[in-house]
Amino acid sequence: MPELPEVETVARQLAPLLVGREVRELVVLDPRLRAAPVPRLSGRGIEQVSRSGKRVLVRFSGARASQAPLWLAVHLRMTGRLIWLAAEGRIDRAHLRARMRLDRGALAFYDTRRFGTFEWFRSADEARPSGIDPLSDELTAARLRALFGTSRQSIKPWLLRQDRLVGLGNIYASEILHEACIAPSREVRTLGDDEAVRLRRAMRSILKRAIRACGTTFSDFQDSHGEIGSYQRFLAVYDREGDACRRCGDLVVREVQQQRSTYWCRGCQR
DNA sequence: ATTATATCCTGATCGC
DNA sequence: TGCGATCAGGATATAA
């Protein structure tokens, strides 16, 4: 379940491996994958690999000086994995959905459940998501407060909407609310200035720490080398139903909000 | 307009 | 041991 820290991990690992390489071909091997038609890529070079929300963004140069650059956005959704293949020869073909061969090495896209997507863009602007990145300087507490507006949604499902903030998913939404001492059922419009400050601070600290830990591997996530993340050992509430809260000792509970599990502590979140 | 629900898809797990 | 039911949660289309 790749969220912002997991996608950031993949992008950071892939950048030094891919930047400067020249593309031989990109083949979508599975017709059921939700991938837009692949444009002509041969002769193009990879100029940049970055994260845009929960997408890995790859910038290709034009094949000639006169040709415009091109951006590929890969969304890993639930089970997508971008795995670097240093050498050809016996590669795991199970759930292999696409492969990009380069002048040296190759990149494989695995996706058990085929929820992942490939999209192509003509400019970085076109690829930009509508929501604000929680780690960007744009996201001040005041801006967050403005985003809350008059919404009657509960804060937990609100945090998952990608049209407001981009990058949070089910695991970090619970973790961030616990860090900020805010109950997941709180109506967004009732959150005050101090709570916006705490929420913003919690987003930044948790996401940054999770990036340092190369993400959370709950079940499926792997980085570009097939390794798992290590943030799961820091999880304060997610998947800890019945355990003691690390902050106040009360029991962590699980509740379902909009068909998704929310984990929280009644003792210290209000 | 806003919020809730069904859907996509596969594999792991659970109860019988 | 096997088998059907349930759950996991990314985002979007559709319903309310």
Side-chain angles (χ1 to χ4, degrees):
Chain A
M1 35 232 68
E3 305 178 30
L4 186 153
E6 290 74 32
V7 180
E8 181 72 31
T9 297
V10 170
R12 285 187 187 184
Q13 291 179 342
L14 288 179
L17 298 167
L18 298 184
V19 171
R21 298 273 65 79
E22 193 175 292
V23 184
R24 293 275 183 265
E25 60 164 359
L26 194 169
V27 183
V28 174
L29 301 155
D30 189 319
R32 291 170 66 195
L33 186 71
R34 294 202 305 176
V38 178
R40 179 179 294 275
L41 290 174
S42 65
R44 289 181 184 266
I46 296 178
E47 297 183 323
Q48 191 183 48
V49 180
S50 58
R51 175 184 65 80
S52 170
K54 288 183 193 171
R55 285 164 228 255
V56 175
L57 204 56
V58 181
R59 179 188 155 117
F60 298 93
S61 67
R64 309 173 306 278
S66 59
Q67 196 179 28
L70 199 54
W71 281 259
L72 165 65
V74 178
H75 201 311
L76 305 174
R77 294 287 185 101
M78 299 289 293
T79 54
R81 291 174 292 150
L82 283 169
I83 304 289
W84 172 249
L85 306 173
E88 292 290 322
R90 48 168 224 291
I91 65 162
D92 183 7
R93 302 196 82 86
H95 309 128
L96 178 64
R97 309 298 185 204
R99 182 174 49 202
M100 179 164 63
R101 293 186 205 275
L102 306 163
D103 56 335
R104 197 170 70 232
L107 183 65
F109 179 70
Y110 292 92
D111 189 358
T112 308
R113 290 166 75 175
R114 295 182 242 254
F115 282 175
T117 60
F118 278 33
E119 294 168 284
W120 298 91
F121 297 101
R122 295 272 160 203
S123 71
D125 214 47
E126 204 183 303
R128 206 183 313 283
S130 55
I132 301 180
D133 194 287
L135 292 180
S136 86
D137 294 335
E138 276 180 70
L139 189 74
T140 60
R143 184 76 184 273
L144 186 56
R145 192 80 204 281
L147 284 175
F148 289 161
T150 57
S151 172
R152 308 171 96 93
Q153 255 187 316
S154 297
I155 182 63
K156 160 61 169 29
W158 188 91
L159 288 175
L160 301 182
R161 323 170 40 153
Q162 305 295 303
D163 59 334
R164 297 293 191 273
L165 296 177
V166 70
L168 301 182
N170 210 43
I171 294 175
Y172 295 107
S174 281
E175 292 299 309
I176 286 164
L177 287 171
H178 178 263
E179 176 71 16
C181 302
I182 295 170
S185 57
R186 281 287 300 284
E187 243 184 65
V188 162
R189 60 177 181 157
T190 70
L191 295 170
D193 284 329
D194 55 330
E195 289 168 318
V197 168
R198 295 208 309 266
L199 205 48
R200 175 183 174 276
R201 193 174 294 154
M203 282 180 203
R204 298 177 70 88
S205 64
I206 297 239
L207 294 173
K208 284 178 178 176
R209 196 197 305 164
I211 289 169
R212 283 198 294 277
C214 294
T216 301
T217 297
F218 180 61
S219 55
D220 296 292
F221 174 68
Q222 291 182 356
D223 69 15
S224 55
H225 305 296
E227 305 288 329
I228 64 172
S230 63
Y231 192 79
Q232 53 274 14
R233 65 196 181 89
F234 296 114
L235 293 176
V237 286
Y238 187 83
D239 200 36
R240 295 192 68 236
E241 183 182 18
D243 290 356
C245 171
R246 298 192 210 280
R247 186 165 51 206
C248 76
D250 214 333
L251 286 190
V252 173
V253 296
R254 184 180 86 96
E255 268 173 29
V256 175
Q257 285 179 293
Q258 293 194 202
Q259 347 254 63
R260 296 286 183 267
S261 292
T262 298
Y263 296 88
W264 68 294
C265 171
R266 286 207 178 84
C268 55
Q269 290 177 254
R270 45 197 82 244

